[in-house]
Each structure stands twice: as C-alpha cells, then as structure tokens.
Amino acid sequence: MSAASVGQIAWVLGVVGWYVIRYPFERRAKRVRVVSSRRSGTDVFGLACALFGLAIFPAFYVATGFPKSADYPAHAWAIAVGIVIYAAALWVFRRSHKELGRNWSITLEIRQKHELVSGGPYALIRHPMYTSFMLMGLGQAFLLSNWIVGLAGLIGFALLFFLRVDKEERMMLEIFGSQYLTYIERTKRIIPYLY
Ligand code: SAH
C-alpha cells in the first residue's frame, strides 16, 4: 500500500475517532439548559469554516482525489509524524471534553449552573479544545499529501479560533469576573507556557 493511502486511511480513522469522542457529549449537552447565548453569524461562519477545512473538504478529497493538481509525493516519515500528531489531538480532545463536561457548548453559551473549569488541561491552557483542533489541522497537513487540502484544516481552525477567542474570553470575564481574571493570569491560550 502506498504511503499516500496509509495517510488517507489514518485521516479517516482520526475523523471517525473525533466523532466517537464528541457524540456522547453532544447528546448530554442537549439536556442542560442554556441561560445565556452569544451565538452570532460570525461564530457560525467560523464553525462552518473549521468543519469545512477539517472534515468536509478533506473527506471530498479522499473520496474523489480532487484537486489532484495540488498532490505531491507522500513520504513515509511525514505520514508517521501525522499519525502521532493526530493521535495527540484526539487525546487532548478527549481530555478536554471530560474536564469541561456539562459546561461544553458548540458555540458561545453559558449553561445552567455553569462552573469555571480550571483542572486537567485547563490548568495550563484556557482553550485545550481549540488546541486539539490546531493539532488536527497540523496532523492533516502531514497525512494528506496535497498542498491545498493539507493546509485547509489549519486555515479552518485559524478562522474559528481568531473569530471567537476574544468574544469567548470576554463572555467568561462577564460571567466569572475576577475569578476568570486570575485564571487568565496563570494560563496561556492554546500553547502551554507560550501563547
Ligand atoms: N474554549 C474552550 C471551550 C470550548 S467549548 C476550549 O477550547 O477548551 C465553548 C464553551 O465552553 C463556551 O461557550 C464556554 O461557555 C465554555 N467554556 C470555555 N472555557 C471554559 C472554562 N474554563 N470553564 C467552563 N466553561 C468554559
């Protein structure tokens, strides 16, 4: 089997893993009432970009080979690196879902009895779930040997992240006040100790 095919199969398994991790949380979240929603057109646009770049477009590529002209020869080492990064992404994704629990939302929302989570991965970074999206994008860039499809995931992640992060932190500050302020002081956004 060619390195390119191994990369594509690994990517498909990764996306399936992503959904298997997310599904139970999505179901559970439906049962917790939302007390304040900041869902906006911009946020939905960011989400759509992330979904397109990290899932829909690469799935279309795996199924059809389009856009073939942007393909480049796959290297076994790149596929191996991609597998490690994607696995790390899924691990961070799972850890952050478990930690955030009933406070999770697909968009910017405050739920009934919302608690400020600051344990597990949240002890180091404020947005580990977005870190996992970044890692998925990076993993995708190594797994799919196509310039356009490879980079689409990182671009989708960046759009979601930069359109959302300020608003999310402002919302958390409004709700949790000085508690969130001290939390900001001792954590980074998505890369431990760096950013
Ligand atoms: N940005 C976080 C969470 C993504 S889910 C991450 O990347 O891990 C988005 C929802 O999580 C937001 O609507 C907000 O209500 C909630 N949230 C974000 N940070 C939180 C925290 N530290 N504690 C509790 N809820 C949080």
Side-chain angles (χ1 to χ4, degrees):
M1 199 188 289
S2 69
S5 308
V6 175
Q8 293 188 8
I9 292 169
W11 181 82
V12 170
L13 291 176
V15 172
V16 171
W18 181 89
Y19 197 70
V20 167
I21 294 169
R22 158 99 5 131
Y23 182 71
F25 288 93
E26 222 168 282
R27 275 196 54 177
R28 241 173 284 157
K30 285 202 188 108
R31 278 183 250 140
V32 189
R33 219 161 58 87
V34 172
V35 291
S36 160
S37 175
R38 313 280 162 101
R39 183 190 288 261
S40 66
T42 325
D43 199 57
V44 173
F45 173 73
L47 264 173
C49 289
L51 187 70
F52 182 78
L54 286 163
I56 296 171
F57 186 35
F60 186 74
Y61 168 73
V62 169
T64 67
F66 175 86
K68 220 169 187 57
S69 55
D71 276 352
Y72 60 84
H75 295 285
W77 66 264
I79 305 301
V81 170
I83 290 174
V84 172
I85 296 176
Y86 217 106
L90 291 181
W91 181 73
V92 178
F93 193 55
R94 187 164 171 276
R95 285 285 283 121
S96 33
H97 268 88
K98 284 194 89 162
E99 203 66 38
L100 203 54
R102 62 185 294 295
N103 303 300
W104 175 80
S105 285
I106 192 148
T107 182
L108 298 185
E109 289 172 343
I110 294 295
R111 295 193 176 266
Q112 202 163 34
K113 301 207 184 94
H114 203 111
E115 279 169 15
L116 178 63
V117 171
S118 58
Y122 288 89
L124 281 178
I125 42 178
R126 300 193 284 285
H127 308 288
M129 228 173 260
Y130 304 154
T131 303
S132 73
F133 288 143
M134 181 178 69
L135 290 172
M136 277 173 207
L138 200 61
Q140 177 176 324
F142 280 95
L143 289 175
L144 304 178
S145 19
N146 179 291
W147 290 114
I148 300 174
V149 184
L151 291 178
L154 281 173
I155 295 170
F157 150 76
L159 280 164
L160 170 68
F161 179 74
F162 289 108
L163 288 174
R164 181 186 271 190
V165 71
D166 286 331
K167 286 189 193 142
E168 178 165 340
E169 295 190 341
R170 235 177 291 136
M171 173 183 87
M172 296 300 285
L173 261 175
E174 256 174 57
I175 306 288
F176 293 100
S178 61
Q179 204 189 344
Y180 196 70
L181 209 56
T182 45
Y183 175 61
I184 286 183
E185 279 162 11
R186 62 167 200 269
T187 49
K188 296 285 180 188
R189 273 181 161 166
I190 49 174
I191 305 173
Y193 311 110
L194 275 180
Y195 169 74

